[in-house]
Amino acid sequence: MVQNKDYRILVINPGSTSTKIGIFDNERSVLEKTIRHDSEKITSFESIIDQYAFRKETILETLDNEGINLSKLSAVCGRGGLLRPIEGGTYSVNSAMLEDLKNGYSGQHASNLGGIIAYEIAEGLNIPAFIVDPVVVDELDEIARVSGFSLIERKSIFHALNQKAVARRVSRELGKSYYDLNLIVVHMGGGITVGVHKGGRVIDVNNGLHGDGPFSPERAGTVPAGDLVSLCYSGEYYRDEIMKKLVGQGGLVGYLGTSDAVQVEKMIEKGNRKARLVYEAMAYQVAKEIGSASAVLAGRVDAIILTGGLAYGKSFVKLITERINWISDVIVHPGENELQALAEGALRVLKGEEEAKIYPNQAKIHTSTF
């Protein structure tokens, strides 16, 4: 039963050299702040996990300086980290989750600190701590896992937090339930992921980290496999060098030396033909991926949603839309409001609209059938 009550939620989103925090009264933002950490201080820690006490104290000090009374908090919600593959939703932070975050079950990343810090603060206040839709959300259909190469399965690694949040918002705008719609959600930032949302589950999505899909400002996406193998064994590159060329130095960076789409548009305005070709090719690949996603849904698509930082670029959105608007209506929700998404996830549980999921009981257990 939904309760009529006001809830105050602290949300925490750690990045590599900064920590974003927010205070929300229900859906309304009261405070949003980016705490920028001294790079020398951050690098002085042996591991990312060792930073949690320092970051926690910095957060508490910032809240105190802003006049925030912690006793008024109803919950603390942190960005989910590299956990075991799990289905989407809001999860209570428990001892099993803390262990996997601290040990880096699926890798070390600053986002692992989100759940740890949330728990540390919440425990002292005797209130719940949550995480929401981490990047390891895995709801793939079995058929979507088959790569064509028996030694490798396709993986679900994508912008789950923003994709799920914007899908819910658009569903409300359409007057429908997220669980009753077929949506294609395209997050376009440093990486680009195209998710097939069917009945509230992301049944197919490209691996936006270093897997497949369109190239992006910083990532190469799908590349010709044979040529990549030849390059790896050419003797000219170490493994780490190849990985950097795929992730971080791929996409726009590799072709044009910048990941800034605004800068690329300025290059185009000045008559740079290579910049125009590469920029249009990125939009072309996004449109192709959307077309593939529509095939997963047999053409029954209620809406296509474009989101993320690149969705602010009107020319880029137009390049995509003119190729795919025959499939369904295209709805543009630019930006990535992660703090709002975290607050909304916690609020759904506090209001009784959803139950908090238990980790790792609802982890996605998958064993290859081959």
Side-chain angles (χ1 to χ4, degrees):
M1 180 177 180
V2 177
Q3 302 175 27
N4 295 319
K5 181 181 176 181
D6 289 330
Y7 296 96
R8 173 162 283 199
I9 304 162
L10 166 63
V11 294
I12 301 167
N13 182 11
S16 57
T17 59
S18 66
T19 303
K20 295 178 181 179
I21 61 171
I23 297 288
F24 288 80
D25 285 347
N26 291 347
E27 296 93 348
R28 184 175 67 87
S29 173
V30 175
L31 169 72
E32 294 188 35
K33 198 169 185 68
T34 299
I35 304 170
R36 304 197 183 280
H37 306 296
D38 181 79
S39 58
E40 289 187 8
K41 180 66 176 178
I42 288 293
T43 56
S44 69
F45 294 99
E46 289 189 11
S47 69
I48 289 174
I49 296 304
D50 291 337
Q51 300 172 15
Y52 88 85
F54 161 71
R55 294 212 194 202
K56 173 191 168 185
E57 292 307 315
T58 305
I59 291 168
L60 293 175
E61 180 180 332
T62 301
L63 292 172
D64 185 56
N65 291 338
E66 294 290 338
I68 300 298
N69 185 344
L70 296 183
S71 68
K72 301 293 185 182
L73 293 178
S74 305
V76 186
C77 188
R79 181 70 185 267
L82 297 175
L83 295 160
R84 302 166 192 265
I86 54 178
E87 63 183 24
T90 300
Y91 284 77
S92 295
V93 181
N94 58 18
S95 57
M97 181 184 294
L98 290 171
E99 183 177 354
D100 281 351
L101 289 172
K102 290 175 181 177
N103 293 335
Y105 180 87
S106 295
Q108 295 287 353
H109 190 271
S111 61
N112 290 12
L113 297 167
I116 298 170
I117 298 171
Y119 181 84
E120 289 277 334
I121 294 175
E123 184 183 37
L125 299 169
N126 197 30
I127 57 176
F130 304 111
I131 66 162
V132 182
D133 291 328
V135 295
V136 293
V137 165
D138 183 347
E139 299 168 336
L140 295 186
D141 281 348
E142 289 301 295
I143 198 169
R145 299 183 190 281
V146 182
S147 70
F149 182 42
S150 64
L151 299 180
I152 299 174
E153 285 190 342
R154 294 186 66 243
K155 293 182 176 66
S156 177
I157 301 177
F158 70 111
H159 305 89
L161 181 63
N162 188 45
Q163 282 212 22
K164 289 270 190 177
V166 76
R168 289 187 177 97
R169 287 183 205 129
V170 168
S171 298
R172 289 195 297 270
E173 292 170 4
L174 296 175
K176 303 284 184 68
S177 167
Y178 171 49
Y179 299 96
D180 293 333
L181 293 175
N182 288 345
L183 303 169
I184 297 173
V185 184
V186 187
H187 177 103
M188 305 183 297
I192 295 175
T193 55
V194 180
V196 181
H197 296 238
K198 181 179 181 180
R201 300 179 66 82
V202 184
I203 63 171
D204 200 346
V205 66
N206 62 296
N207 178 344
L209 181 58
H210 49 63
D212 49 11
F215 75 81
S216 73
E218 299 176 353
R219 296 167 196 173
T222 300
V223 296
D227 292 337
L228 178 61
V229 170
S230 296
L231 194 64
C232 290
Y233 284 90
S234 66
E236 296 181 25
Y237 303 99
Y238 291 108
R239 180 184 183 278
D240 288 349
E241 290 178 299
I242 291 291
M243 290 302 296
K244 284 181 181 178
K245 289 183 177 297
L246 293 173
V247 183
Q249 297 175 1
L252 293 184
V253 175
Y255 285 108
L256 304 173
T258 179
S259 62
D260 187 343
V262 174
Q263 183 63 33
V264 174
E265 289 181 350
K266 289 179 179 177
M267 294 166 67
I268 294 171
E269 290 172 4
K270 293 178 180 178
N272 188 318
R273 295 178 62 186
K274 180 179 179 181
R276 179 180 294 279
L277 175 63
V278 172
Y279 198 55
E280 291 183 358
M282 186 166 69
Y284 172 85
Q285 288 198 4
V286 172
K288 279 209 305 181
E289 194 76 13
I290 293 170
S292 297
S294 71
V296 173
L297 294 169
R300 292 187 285 273
V301 183
D302 294 300
I304 299 167
I305 306 168
L306 305 182
T307 185
L310 288 177
Y312 284 113
K314 292 182 180 179
S315 63
F316 189 67
V317 167
K318 183 180 178 182
L319 286 169
I320 297 169
T321 302
E322 62 189 13
R323 290 186 181 275
I324 52 89
N325 59 7
W326 57 272
I327 298 172
S328 185
D329 291 337
V330 180
I331 300 172
V332 182
H333 268 255
E336 181 181 7
N337 197 336
E338 295 170 331
L339 297 181
Q340 181 81 42
L342 291 171
E344 290 172 356
L347 189 61
R348 287 192 297 272
V349 171
L350 293 173
K351 285 188 170 182
E353 296 172 359
E354 295 178 9
E355 288 188 9
K357 295 181 177 180
I358 306 301
Y359 181 89
N361 293 2
Q362 285 162 300
K364 181 79 177 181
I365 306 300
H366 174 68
T367 303
S368 174
T369 56
F370 299 103

Short mmCIF file of all heavy atoms in Angstrom, two decimals, residues 308-365:
data_model
loop_
_atom_site.label_atom_id
_atom_site.label_comp_id
_atom_site.label_asym_id
_atom_site.label_seq_id
_atom_site.Cartn_x
_atom_site.Cartn_y
_atom_site.Cartn_z
N GLY A 308 20.98 10.82 -22.54
CA GLY A 308 22.41 11.00 -22.36
C GLY A 308 22.86 12.35 -22.89
O GLY A 308 22.09 13.11 -23.49
N GLY A 309 24.13 12.66 -22.67
CA GLY A 309 24.68 13.95 -23.02
C GLY A 309 24.60 14.29 -24.50
O GLY A 309 24.34 15.44 -24.87
N LEU A 310 24.81 13.30 -25.39
CA LEU A 310 24.78 13.56 -26.82
C LEU A 310 23.39 13.92 -27.32
O LEU A 310 23.24 14.48 -28.41
CB LEU A 310 25.30 12.34 -27.60
CG LEU A 310 26.80 12.06 -27.53
CD1 LEU A 310 27.13 10.78 -28.28
CD2 LEU A 310 27.60 13.22 -28.08
N ALA A 311 22.37 13.60 -26.52
CA ALA A 311 20.99 13.91 -26.93
C ALA A 311 20.72 15.41 -26.88
O ALA A 311 19.68 15.87 -27.37
CB ALA A 311 20.00 13.16 -26.05
N TYR A 312 21.63 16.20 -26.28
CA TYR A 312 21.52 17.66 -26.33
C TYR A 312 21.85 18.19 -27.72
O TYR A 312 21.46 19.30 -28.09
CB TYR A 312 22.46 18.31 -25.32
CG TYR A 312 21.99 18.25 -23.89
CD1 TYR A 312 22.68 17.48 -22.95
CD2 TYR A 312 20.88 18.96 -23.46
CE1 TYR A 312 22.26 17.43 -21.62
CE2 TYR A 312 20.45 18.92 -22.14
CZ TYR A 312 21.15 18.14 -21.23
OH TYR A 312 20.73 18.10 -19.92
N GLY A 313 22.61 17.41 -28.50
CA GLY A 313 23.03 17.85 -29.83
C GLY A 313 21.91 17.69 -30.85
O GLY A 313 21.63 16.57 -31.29
N LYS A 314 21.30 18.79 -31.25
CA LYS A 314 20.14 18.73 -32.15
C LYS A 314 20.50 18.12 -33.50
O LYS A 314 19.72 17.36 -34.08
CB LYS A 314 19.54 20.12 -32.31
CG LYS A 314 18.89 20.65 -31.04
CD LYS A 314 18.26 22.02 -31.27
CE LYS A 314 17.62 22.53 -29.98
NZ LYS A 314 17.00 23.86 -30.17
N SER A 315 21.68 18.47 -34.01
CA SER A 315 22.07 17.93 -35.31
C SER A 315 22.31 16.43 -35.24
O SER A 315 21.94 15.68 -36.15
CB SER A 315 23.31 18.65 -35.83
OG SER A 315 24.43 18.43 -34.97
N PHE A 316 22.91 15.97 -34.14
CA PHE A 316 23.17 14.54 -33.98
C PHE A 316 21.86 13.77 -33.85
O PHE A 316 21.67 12.72 -34.47
CB PHE A 316 24.05 14.30 -32.75
CG PHE A 316 24.54 12.89 -32.61
CD1 PHE A 316 25.43 12.35 -33.52
CD2 PHE A 316 24.12 12.09 -31.55
CE1 PHE A 316 25.89 11.04 -33.39
CE2 PHE A 316 24.56 10.79 -31.42
CZ PHE A 316 25.46 10.26 -32.35
N VAL A 317 20.94 14.30 -33.04
CA VAL A 317 19.62 13.67 -32.88
C VAL A 317 18.89 13.61 -34.21
O VAL A 317 18.27 12.59 -34.55
CB VAL A 317 18.79 14.43 -31.83
CG1 VAL A 317 17.32 14.00 -31.88
CG2 VAL A 317 19.35 14.21 -30.44
N LYS A 318 18.99 14.68 -35.01
CA LYS A 318 18.32 14.71 -36.32
C LYS A 318 18.89 13.64 -37.24
O LYS A 318 18.14 12.96 -37.97
CB LYS A 318 18.48 16.09 -36.95
CG LYS A 318 17.76 16.22 -38.29
CD LYS A 318 17.96 17.61 -38.89
CE LYS A 318 17.27 17.70 -40.26
NZ LYS A 318 17.49 19.03 -40.88
N LEU A 319 20.22 13.48 -37.23
CA LEU A 319 20.85 12.46 -38.08
C LEU A 319 20.33 11.06 -37.76
O LEU A 319 20.16 10.23 -38.66
CB LEU A 319 22.37 12.50 -37.90
CG LEU A 319 23.11 13.67 -38.54
CD1 LEU A 319 24.55 13.72 -38.03
CD2 LEU A 319 23.08 13.57 -40.06
N ILE A 320 20.09 10.81 -36.48
CA ILE A 320 19.57 9.50 -36.07
C ILE A 320 18.09 9.39 -36.40
O ILE A 320 17.63 8.41 -37.01
CB ILE A 320 19.78 9.28 -34.56
CG1 ILE A 320 21.26 9.25 -34.22
CG2 ILE A 320 19.10 7.99 -34.09
CD1 ILE A 320 21.56 9.31 -32.73
N THR A 321 17.34 10.41 -36.01
CA THR A 321 15.88 10.36 -36.13
C THR A 321 15.42 10.19 -37.56
O THR A 321 14.47 9.43 -37.84
CB THR A 321 15.26 11.64 -35.52
OG1 THR A 321 15.66 11.76 -34.16
CG2 THR A 321 13.75 11.59 -35.60
N GLU A 322 16.07 10.84 -38.51
CA GLU A 322 15.61 10.76 -39.89
C GLU A 322 15.78 9.35 -40.47
O GLU A 322 15.14 9.04 -41.48
CB GLU A 322 16.36 11.79 -40.75
CG GLU A 322 17.85 11.60 -40.84
CD GLU A 322 18.56 12.77 -41.53
OE1 GLU A 322 17.88 13.82 -41.72
OE2 GLU A 322 19.75 12.64 -41.87
N ARG A 323 16.58 8.52 -39.82
CA ARG A 323 16.73 7.14 -40.28
C ARG A 323 15.79 6.16 -39.59
O ARG A 323 15.51 5.08 -40.13
CB ARG A 323 18.18 6.66 -40.06
CG ARG A 323 19.21 7.31 -40.96
CD ARG A 323 20.57 6.67 -40.76
NE ARG A 323 21.59 7.30 -41.59
CZ ARG A 323 21.85 6.99 -42.86
NH1 ARG A 323 21.14 6.03 -43.46
NH2 ARG A 323 22.80 7.62 -43.52
N ILE A 324 15.29 6.51 -38.40
CA ILE A 324 14.54 5.50 -37.64
C ILE A 324 13.13 5.94 -37.20
O ILE A 324 12.44 5.16 -36.55
CB ILE A 324 15.35 5.06 -36.38
CG1 ILE A 324 15.83 6.25 -35.53
CG2 ILE A 324 16.55 4.21 -36.79
CD1 ILE A 324 14.90 6.71 -34.48
N ASN A 325 12.70 7.16 -37.57
CA ASN A 325 11.40 7.59 -37.07
C ASN A 325 10.23 6.86 -37.71
O ASN A 325 9.09 7.00 -37.28
CB ASN A 325 11.23 9.11 -37.22
CG ASN A 325 11.36 9.60 -38.65
OD1 ASN A 325 11.46 8.81 -39.58
ND2 ASN A 325 11.40 10.91 -38.81
N TRP A 326 10.49 6.06 -38.74
CA TRP A 326 9.45 5.22 -39.32
C TRP A 326 9.10 4.03 -38.42
O TRP A 326 8.04 3.43 -38.56
CB TRP A 326 9.89 4.71 -40.70
CG TRP A 326 11.19 3.93 -40.66
CD1 TRP A 326 12.44 4.43 -40.76
CD2 TRP A 326 11.34 2.52 -40.47
NE1 TRP A 326 13.38 3.43 -40.65
CE2 TRP A 326 12.73 2.24 -40.48
CE3 TRP A 326 10.45 1.46 -40.32
CZ2 TRP A 326 13.23 0.96 -40.32
CZ3 TRP A 326 10.95 0.17 -40.18
CH2 TRP A 326 12.32 -0.07 -40.17
N ILE A 327 10.00 3.72 -37.50
CA ILE A 327 9.78 2.57 -36.61
C ILE A 327 8.74 2.92 -35.54
O ILE A 327 7.81 2.15 -35.29
CB ILE A 327 11.09 2.14 -35.93
CG1 ILE A 327 12.13 1.71 -36.98
CG2 ILE A 327 10.84 1.01 -34.93
CD1 ILE A 327 13.51 1.46 -36.41
N SER A 328 8.91 4.08 -34.91
CA SER A 328 8.02 4.50 -33.83
C SER A 328 8.29 5.97 -33.52
O SER A 328 9.21 6.58 -34.08
CB SER A 328 8.24 3.64 -32.58
OG SER A 328 7.30 3.96 -31.57
N ASP A 329 7.49 6.53 -32.61
CA ASP A 329 7.75 7.90 -32.15
C ASP A 329 9.11 7.97 -31.46
O ASP A 329 9.48 7.05 -30.71
CB ASP A 329 6.68 8.35 -31.17
CG ASP A 329 5.32 8.54 -31.83
OD1 ASP A 329 5.29 8.75 -33.06
OD2 ASP A 329 4.30 8.46 -31.12
N VAL A 330 9.83 9.06 -31.70
CA VAL A 330 11.13 9.27 -31.07
C VAL A 330 10.97 10.35 -30.01
O VAL A 330 10.54 11.47 -30.30
CB VAL A 330 12.20 9.69 -32.10
CG1 VAL A 330 13.54 9.91 -31.40
CG2 VAL A 330 12.33 8.63 -33.19
N ILE A 331 11.30 10.02 -28.77
CA ILE A 331 11.18 10.93 -27.64
C ILE A 331 12.58 11.24 -27.13
O ILE A 331 13.36 10.33 -26.85
CB ILE A 331 10.32 10.32 -26.53
CG1 ILE A 331 8.91 10.02 -27.06
CG2 ILE A 331 10.24 11.25 -25.31
CD1 ILE A 331 8.05 9.23 -26.09
N VAL A 332 12.90 12.53 -27.00
CA VAL A 332 14.24 12.93 -26.59
C VAL A 332 14.22 13.41 -25.15
O VAL A 332 13.48 14.34 -24.80
CB VAL A 332 14.79 14.04 -27.52
CG1 VAL A 332 16.22 14.42 -27.10
CG2 VAL A 332 14.75 13.58 -28.97
N HIS A 333 15.00 12.77 -24.29
CA HIS A 333 15.20 13.17 -22.89
C HIS A 333 16.69 13.34 -22.67
O HIS A 333 17.38 12.44 -22.22
CB HIS A 333 14.66 12.09 -21.93
CG HIS A 333 13.25 12.30 -21.52
ND1 HIS A 333 12.89 12.75 -20.28
CD2 HIS A 333 12.09 12.14 -22.20
CE1 HIS A 333 11.57 12.84 -20.21
NE2 HIS A 333 11.07 12.47 -21.36
N PRO A 334 17.24 14.51 -23.01
CA PRO A 334 18.70 14.68 -22.93
C PRO A 334 19.22 14.68 -21.50
O PRO A 334 18.50 14.95 -20.54
CB PRO A 334 18.93 16.05 -23.59
CG PRO A 334 17.63 16.77 -23.42
CD PRO A 334 16.56 15.72 -23.47
N GLY A 335 20.51 14.35 -21.37
CA GLY A 335 21.16 14.37 -20.06
C GLY A 335 21.06 13.05 -19.33
O GLY A 335 20.45 12.09 -19.80
N GLU A 336 21.71 13.03 -18.18
CA GLU A 336 21.72 11.82 -17.35
C GLU A 336 21.66 12.26 -15.90
O GLU A 336 22.69 12.54 -15.28
CB GLU A 336 22.98 11.00 -17.61
CG GLU A 336 23.06 9.72 -16.79
CD GLU A 336 24.34 8.93 -17.06
OE1 GLU A 336 25.21 9.45 -17.78
OE2 GLU A 336 24.43 7.82 -16.56
N ASN A 337 20.46 12.33 -15.35
CA ASN A 337 20.30 12.80 -13.98
C ASN A 337 20.36 11.60 -13.03
O ASN A 337 19.33 11.08 -12.58
CB ASN A 337 18.98 13.55 -13.82
CG ASN A 337 18.96 14.38 -12.55
OD1 ASN A 337 19.66 14.09 -11.59
ND2 ASN A 337 18.14 15.42 -12.53
N GLU A 338 21.59 11.18 -12.73
CA GLU A 338 21.77 9.98 -11.92
C GLU A 338 21.30 10.17 -10.49
O GLU A 338 20.76 9.24 -9.88
CB GLU A 338 23.25 9.57 -11.95
CG GLU A 338 23.73 9.16 -13.33
CD GLU A 338 25.23 8.98 -13.40
OE1 GLU A 338 25.95 9.66 -12.63
OE2 GLU A 338 25.68 8.16 -14.22
N LEU A 339 21.52 11.36 -9.92
CA LEU A 339 21.09 11.59 -8.54
C LEU A 339 19.57 11.47 -8.43
O LEU A 339 19.06 10.84 -7.49
CB LEU A 339 21.57 12.96 -8.07
CG LEU A 339 23.08 13.18 -8.01
CD1 LEU A 339 23.39 14.58 -7.49
CD2 LEU A 339 23.76 12.13 -7.13
N GLN A 340 18.86 12.06 -9.37
CA GLN A 340 17.39 11.96 -9.38
C GLN A 340 16.96 10.50 -9.51
O GLN A 340 16.04 10.05 -8.83
CB GLN A 340 16.83 12.77 -10.54
CG GLN A 340 15.31 12.78 -10.64
CD GLN A 340 14.65 13.75 -9.70
OE1 GLN A 340 15.12 14.87 -9.53
NE2 GLN A 340 13.56 13.34 -9.07
N ALA A 341 17.63 9.75 -10.38
CA ALA A 341 17.29 8.35 -10.59
C ALA A 341 17.49 7.53 -9.32
O ALA A 341 16.68 6.65 -8.99
CB ALA A 341 18.12 7.77 -11.73
N LEU A 342 18.58 7.79 -8.60
CA LEU A 342 18.82 7.09 -7.34
C LEU A 342 17.73 7.41 -6.32
O LEU A 342 17.22 6.51 -5.64
CB LEU A 342 20.20 7.47 -6.79
CG LEU A 342 21.41 6.96 -7.56
CD1 LEU A 342 22.69 7.61 -7.02
CD2 LEU A 342 21.52 5.44 -7.49
N ALA A 343 17.38 8.69 -6.23
CA ALA A 343 16.34 9.09 -5.28
C ALA A 343 15.01 8.44 -5.62
O ALA A 343 14.28 7.95 -4.73
CB ALA A 343 16.20 10.61 -5.27
N GLU A 344 14.67 8.39 -6.90
CA GLU A 344 13.40 7.79 -7.31
C GLU A 344 13.36 6.30 -6.99
O GLU A 344 12.33 5.76 -6.59
CB GLU A 344 13.19 8.01 -8.81
CG GLU A 344 12.89 9.46 -9.17
CD GLU A 344 12.86 9.70 -10.68
OE1 GLU A 344 13.15 8.75 -11.44
OE2 GLU A 344 12.56 10.84 -11.09
N GLY A 345 14.51 5.61 -7.16
CA GLY A 345 14.56 4.18 -6.84
C GLY A 345 14.33 3.92 -5.37
O GLY A 345 13.59 3.01 -4.99
N ALA A 346 14.97 4.72 -4.51
CA ALA A 346 14.77 4.56 -3.07
C ALA A 346 13.35 4.92 -2.67
O ALA A 346 12.73 4.25 -1.83
CB ALA A 346 15.76 5.45 -2.31
N LEU A 347 12.81 5.95 -3.31
CA LEU A 347 11.47 6.42 -2.96
C LEU A 347 10.40 5.38 -3.27
O LEU A 347 9.43 5.24 -2.51
CB LEU A 347 11.17 7.73 -3.70
CG LEU A 347 9.90 8.47 -3.31
CD1 LEU A 347 9.94 8.88 -1.84
CD2 LEU A 347 9.71 9.70 -4.21
N ARG A 348 10.57 4.66 -4.37
CA ARG A 348 9.59 3.62 -4.71
C ARG A 348 9.47 2.58 -3.60
O ARG A 348 8.38 2.09 -3.30
CB ARG A 348 9.96 2.95 -6.04
CG ARG A 348 9.72 3.81 -7.26
CD ARG A 348 9.82 3.01 -8.54
NE ARG A 348 11.14 2.46 -8.76
CZ ARG A 348 12.12 3.10 -9.39
NH1 ARG A 348 11.92 4.33 -9.84
NH2 ARG A 348 13.29 2.53 -9.57
N VAL A 349 10.60 2.27 -2.97
CA VAL A 349 10.59 1.31 -1.87
C VAL A 349 10.00 1.94 -0.60
O VAL A 349 9.16 1.34 0.07
CB VAL A 349 12.01 0.78 -1.59
CG1 VAL A 349 12.04 -0.06 -0.31
CG2 VAL A 349 12.50 -0.06 -2.78
N LEU A 350 10.42 3.15 -0.29
CA LEU A 350 9.94 3.81 0.92
C LEU A 350 8.43 4.01 0.88
O LEU A 350 7.74 3.92 1.91
CB LEU A 350 10.64 5.16 1.10
CG LEU A 350 12.14 5.12 1.40
CD1 LEU A 350 12.73 6.52 1.37
CD2 LEU A 350 12.41 4.45 2.74
N LYS A 351 7.88 4.26 -0.31
CA LYS A 351 6.44 4.48 -0.45
C LYS A 351 5.65 3.18 -0.56
O LYS A 351 4.43 3.20 -0.60
CB LYS A 351 6.16 5.34 -1.69
CG LYS A 351 6.48 6.81 -1.51
CD LYS A 351 6.00 7.61 -2.71
CE LYS A 351 6.08 9.10 -2.46
NZ LYS A 351 5.55 9.89 -3.61
N GLY A 352 6.36 2.06 -0.63
CA GLY A 352 5.67 0.78 -0.72
C GLY A 352 5.22 0.41 -2.12
O GLY A 352 4.45 -0.52 -2.31
N GLU A 353 5.72 1.14 -3.13
CA GLU A 353 5.36 0.83 -4.51
C GLU A 353 6.12 -0.40 -5.01
O GLU A 353 5.65 -1.10 -5.92
CB GLU A 353 5.67 2.03 -5.41
CG GLU A 353 4.85 3.26 -5.08
CD GLU A 353 5.30 4.50 -5.85
OE1 GLU A 353 6.26 4.41 -6.63
OE2 GLU A 353 4.68 5.56 -5.64
N GLU A 354 7.28 -0.65 -4.45
CA GLU A 354 8.08 -1.84 -4.75
C GLU A 354 8.69 -2.35 -3.46
O GLU A 354 8.82 -1.60 -2.48
CB GLU A 354 9.23 -1.51 -5.72
CG GLU A 354 8.81 -1.07 -7.09
CD GLU A 354 10.01 -0.72 -7.98
OE1 GLU A 354 11.16 -0.98 -7.55
OE2 GLU A 354 9.79 -0.18 -9.07
N GLU A 355 9.07 -3.63 -3.47
CA GLU A 355 9.81 -4.18 -2.34
C GLU A 355 11.30 -4.14 -2.66
O GLU A 355 11.70 -4.36 -3.80
CB GLU A 355 9.39 -5.63 -2.07
CG GLU A 355 8.02 -5.77 -1.47
CD GLU A 355 7.73 -7.21 -1.03
OE1 GLU A 355 8.68 -8.03 -1.05
OE2 GLU A 355 6.58 -7.50 -0.71
N ALA A 356 12.10 -3.83 -1.66
CA ALA A 356 13.55 -3.85 -1.85
C ALA A 356 13.99 -5.29 -2.14
O ALA A 356 13.55 -6.23 -1.48
CB ALA A 356 14.25 -3.32 -0.62
N LYS A 357 14.84 -5.44 -3.13
CA LYS A 357 15.34 -6.77 -3.48
C LYS A 357 16.52 -7.14 -2.59
O LYS A 357 17.20 -6.28 -2.03
CB LYS A 357 15.72 -6.81 -4.96
CG LYS A 357 14.51 -6.62 -5.85
CD LYS A 357 14.84 -6.68 -7.32
CE LYS A 357 13.57 -6.55 -8.15
NZ LYS A 357 13.82 -6.60 -9.60
N ILE A 358 16.71 -8.45 -2.46
CA ILE A 358 17.76 -8.97 -1.57
C ILE A 358 18.92 -9.49 -2.41
O ILE A 358 18.74 -10.29 -3.32
CB ILE A 358 17.21 -10.11 -0.67
CG1 ILE A 358 15.96 -9.64 0.08
CG2 ILE A 358 18.30 -10.58 0.28
CD1 ILE A 358 16.18 -8.44 0.98
N TYR A 359 20.10 -9.04 -2.08
CA TYR A 359 21.32 -9.48 -2.75
C TYR A 359 22.01 -10.54 -1.89
O TYR A 359 22.07 -10.38 -0.67
CB TYR A 359 22.25 -8.28 -2.95
CG TYR A 359 23.54 -8.59 -3.67
CD1 TYR A 359 23.63 -8.51 -5.04
CD2 TYR A 359 24.68 -8.97 -2.95
CE1 TYR A 359 24.81 -8.78 -5.70
CE2 TYR A 359 25.87 -9.24 -3.61
CZ TYR A 359 25.92 -9.15 -4.99
OH TYR A 359 27.10 -9.43 -5.64
N PRO A 360 22.54 -11.65 -2.44
CA PRO A 360 22.55 -11.99 -3.87
C PRO A 360 21.42 -12.93 -4.27
O PRO A 360 21.50 -13.54 -5.33
CB PRO A 360 23.90 -12.69 -4.02
CG PRO A 360 24.03 -13.43 -2.73
CD PRO A 360 23.39 -12.56 -1.66
N ASN A 361 20.37 -13.08 -3.42
CA ASN A 361 19.30 -14.02 -3.72
C ASN A 361 18.70 -13.80 -5.10
O ASN A 361 18.26 -14.73 -5.76
CB ASN A 361 18.18 -13.93 -2.67
CG ASN A 361 18.64 -14.39 -1.30
OD1 ASN A 361 19.80 -14.75 -1.14
ND2 ASN A 361 17.76 -14.38 -0.32
N GLN A 362 18.67 -12.53 -5.53
CA GLN A 362 18.09 -12.24 -6.83
C GLN A 362 19.14 -11.92 -7.87
O GLN A 362 18.88 -11.25 -8.85
CB GLN A 362 17.08 -11.10 -6.66
CG GLN A 362 15.79 -11.59 -5.99
CD GLN A 362 14.95 -10.47 -5.42
OE1 GLN A 362 15.39 -9.73 -4.55
NE2 GLN A 362 13.74 -10.36 -5.89
N ALA A 363 20.34 -12.44 -7.60
CA ALA A 363 21.38 -12.31 -8.62
C ALA A 363 21.04 -13.20 -9.80
O ALA A 363 20.37 -14.22 -9.67
CB ALA A 363 22.75 -12.73 -8.06
N LYS A 364 21.47 -12.79 -10.97
CA LYS A 364 21.18 -13.54 -12.18
C LYS A 364 22.17 -14.70 -12.28
O LYS A 364 23.36 -14.52 -12.57
CB LYS A 364 21.32 -12.64 -13.41
CG LYS A 364 21.03 -13.31 -14.74
CD LYS A 364 19.56 -13.43 -15.00
CE LYS A 364 19.29 -14.03 -16.37
NZ LYS A 364 17.87 -14.14 -16.68
N ILE A 365 21.72 -15.91 -12.01
CA ILE A 365 22.58 -17.09 -12.09
C ILE A 365 22.45 -17.65 -13.50
O ILE A 365 21.38 -18.04 -13.94
CB ILE A 365 22.17 -18.15 -11.06
CG1 ILE A 365 22.14 -17.53 -9.65
CG2 ILE A 365 23.11 -19.34 -11.13
CD1 ILE A 365 23.47 -16.97 -9.20
#
